[in-house]
């Protein structure tokens, strides 16, 4: 059984608001084993909206519309549905309303000839209860089984290398396997369809084992386990502590680590030494090395990591220095050049060349630091 979503609202087309409702509905469709093939967004135009619904009905068994159900002039979804199914404009006479306990505009449920249209309100406080109530009830009665997805998170490896390593696995049809590049890491999504959640999970389990073997040293977590959460948990299990010294990332690594509940067990503190004077005063970076090698250099990253390691008396001291851009780069030291140092007494420094915006370079620098910490813990 197939479904499409038609989101209605000029504000969506203009980018004034993000379409989180379609995202939420898409996840629910997958959960109930419904093949969600297309998603369209149309503005507050009756003719275009009706055409989008009509085309979706030609292709799919179920069409969901979101938004445009209110009482104002630009709320044209009910009339568009009537037009699309060949009824007089207004509320389609063969449809029935869906009770809306949190707003004035009811939803719409229409069925004929094996086709279904379900119109849902746009405001999140109205959409959410209708999705979790009426829509889930309707989908559970279709008997389409379930679709379960798990995401496996990999660090320190390019997407192309992941795709090559997966090889024949990517030709599987159930479960399906697909890699996705994320900032500083790669996610591999495995999706299985079965009659029950238990059966779907049973299809995914052997794939998880293969991924763990294929990407040993890169695979650190599944689903919603973030890189920082995995790092904090590894530190906690090992009984180790950490402190950070950051320049181009401006405290971003410390913020990511301390966003994790329980991080106070492992995170002892951090300093943002943006200027050379701060590097000297707070971390003991020698002025002679700053003058000779520059603030963005492996030598300074080493001193930063060692300085914060000594200052806080921790197991791991992290130093990050680089050029996040968009200005400040040279031929010798271009934008995106970043050095990350990890000190446990002895210090290891890795040179990175990141691409992207200032924010992306900073995020990738943090991801690289987290990966280095996990690598040390796994050694």
């Amino acid at each position: 059984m197939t479904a499409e979503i038609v989101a209605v609202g000029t504000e969506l087309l203009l980018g004034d608001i993000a379409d989180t409702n379609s995202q939420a509905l898409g996840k629910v469709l997958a959960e109930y084993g419904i093949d969600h093939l297309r998603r369209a967004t149309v503005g507050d135009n009756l003719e275009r909206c009706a055409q989008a619904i009509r085309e979706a009905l030609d292709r799919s068994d179920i069409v969901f519309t979101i938004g445009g159900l209110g009482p104002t002039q630009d709320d044209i979804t009910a009339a568009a549905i009537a037009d699309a199914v060949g009824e007089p404009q207004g509320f389609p006479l063969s449809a029935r309303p869906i009770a809306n306990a949190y707003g004035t505009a009811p939803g719409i449920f229409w069925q004929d000839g094996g086709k279904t249209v379900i119109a849902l309100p746009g405001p999140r406080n109205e959409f959410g209860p209708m999705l979790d109530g009426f829509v889930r009830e309707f989908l559970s009665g279709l008997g389409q089984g379930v679709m379960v997805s798990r995401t496996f998170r990999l660090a320190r490896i390019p997407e192309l290398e992941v795709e090559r390593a997966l090889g024949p696995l990517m030709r599987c049809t159930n479960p399906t396997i697909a890699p996705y590049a994320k900032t500083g890491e790669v996610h591999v999504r495995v999706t299985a369809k079965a009659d029950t959640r238990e059966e779907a999970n049973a299809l995914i389990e052997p794939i998880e084992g293969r991924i763990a073997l294929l990407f040993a040293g890169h695979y650190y977590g599944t689903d919603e386990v973030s890189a920082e959460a995995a790092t904090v948990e590894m530190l906690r299990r090992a009984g180790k502590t950490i402190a950070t010294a950051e320049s181009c990332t401006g405290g971003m690594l410390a913020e990511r680590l301390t966003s994790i509940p329980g991080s106070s067990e492992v995170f002892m503190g951090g300093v943002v030494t943006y200027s050379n004077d701060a590097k000297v005063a707070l971390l003991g970076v020698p002025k002679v090395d700053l003058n000779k090698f520059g603030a963005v250099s492996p030598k300074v990253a080493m001193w930063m990591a060692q300085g914060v390691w000594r200052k806080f008396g921790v197991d791991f001291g992290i130093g990050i220095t680089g050029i996040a851009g968009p200005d400040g780069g040279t031929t010798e030291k271009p934008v995106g050049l970043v050095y990350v140092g990890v000190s446990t007494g002895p210090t290891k420094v890795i040179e990175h060349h990141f691409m992207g915006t200032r924010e992306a370079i900073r995020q990738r620098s943090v991801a690289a630091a987290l990966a280095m910490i996990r690598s040390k813990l796994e050694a």
Side-chain angles (χ1 to χ4, degrees):
M1 186 163 285
T2 60
E4 294 190 33
I5 299 172
V6 178
V8 182
T10 302
E11 67 277 12
L12 298 173
L13 286 176
L14 296 177
D16 290 338
I17 62 172
D19 185 10
T20 57
N21 287 341
S22 290
Q23 181 185 26
L25 176 54
K27 289 182 177 180
V28 170
L29 290 172
E31 185 181 332
Y32 286 89
I34 306 299
D35 292 325
H36 175 202
L37 302 182
R38 287 182 177 86
R39 180 190 301 175
T41 303
V42 295
D44 301 313
N45 177 280
L46 178 58
E47 184 180 342
R48 287 193 290 272
C49 185
Q51 182 64 21
I53 296 167
R54 195 177 299 114
E55 290 173 358
L57 276 172
D58 286 342
R59 292 184 295 252
S60 300
D61 303 302
I62 311 168
V63 176
F64 291 89
T65 69
I66 305 175
L69 292 178
T72 60
Q73 188 174 358
D74 61 351
D75 291 312
I76 44 81
T77 301
I81 293 171
D83 188 306
V85 301
E87 296 191 7
Q89 285 191 5
F91 193 93
L93 298 178
S94 59
R96 65 179 175 87
I98 304 170
N100 183 354
Y102 297 88
T104 57
I108 298 171
F109 181 77
W110 175 90
Q111 278 190 314
D112 186 55
K115 299 286 187 174
T116 302
V117 177
I118 298 175
L120 304 171
R124 185 64 183 176
N125 66 313
E126 301 176 35
F127 170 84
M130 203 173 288
L131 176 67
D132 290 332
F134 179 87
V135 173
R136 284 185 177 275
E137 257 181 57
F138 171 75
L139 295 177
S140 64
L142 297 177
Q144 294 295 299
V146 297
M147 193 178 294
V148 175
S149 291
R150 295 194 68 187
T151 300
F152 302 95
R153 295 173 172 241
L154 312 175
R156 308 190 311 276
I157 187 168
E159 182 186 15
L160 185 58
E161 189 175 331
V162 171
E163 187 172 312
R164 285 172 178 163
L166 288 171
L169 286 176
M170 291 186 63
R171 293 195 285 272
C172 293
T173 56
N174 191 27
T176 59
I177 301 167
Y180 297 91
K182 300 291 182 178
T183 302
E185 56 189 56
V186 176
H187 295 176
V188 178
R189 190 188 68 197
V190 181
T191 302
K193 190 172 183 179
D195 290 335
T196 67
R197 182 169 291 275
E198 290 73 20
E199 290 172 347
N201 280 322
L203 291 171
I204 292 173
E205 281 173 13
I207 302 298
E208 179 177 6
R210 294 285 300 278
I211 289 173
L213 285 173
L214 281 171
F215 304 106
H218 300 285
Y219 170 41
Y220 71 83
T222 60
D223 296 327
E224 300 306 314
V225 177
S226 64
E228 53 268 29
T231 305
V232 167
E233 179 58 20
M234 289 179 71
L235 286 164
R236 190 192 63 77
R237 286 201 308 265
K240 303 295 185 181
T241 56
I242 188 172
T244 58
E246 302 180 63
S247 184
C248 63
T249 49
M252 189 179 287
L253 174 58
E255 192 279 330
R256 292 266 297 271
L257 289 168
T258 56
S259 71
I260 304 304
S263 58
S264 58
E265 292 182 41
V266 300
F267 183 78
M268 298 297 105
V271 293
V272 177
T273 53
Y274 213 64
S275 70
N276 286 356
D277 288 344
K279 291 177 177 67
V280 173
L282 297 176
L283 300 172
V285 177
K287 286 185 178 180
V288 64
D289 283 349
L290 279 165
N291 293 332
K292 183 177 180 180
F293 302 107
V296 180
S297 62
K299 183 70 79 170
V300 169
M302 179 198 74
W303 285 121
M304 289 174 67
Q306 288 183 357
V308 79
W309 174 77
R310 285 192 304 269
K311 190 176 189 72
F312 286 91
V314 290
D315 297 294
F316 295 95
I318 314 300
I320 305 176
T321 182
I323 304 169
D327 304 316
T330 65
T331 303
E332 294 77 19
K333 295 184 179 183
V335 169
L337 174 64
V338 177
Y339 293 97
V340 181
V342 177
S343 180
T344 55
T347 304
K348 179 180 182 179
V349 176
I350 295 181
E351 178 179 309
H352 299 275
H353 292 268
F354 297 124
M355 303 292 289
T357 64
R358 178 180 179 85
E359 179 66 13
I361 290 168
R362 282 155 51 92
Q363 292 284 2
R364 290 187 169 100
S365 301
V366 170
L370 291 168
M372 281 186 72
I373 299 163
R374 293 194 302 274
S375 180
K376 283 282 189 182
L377 288 163
E378 290 166 354

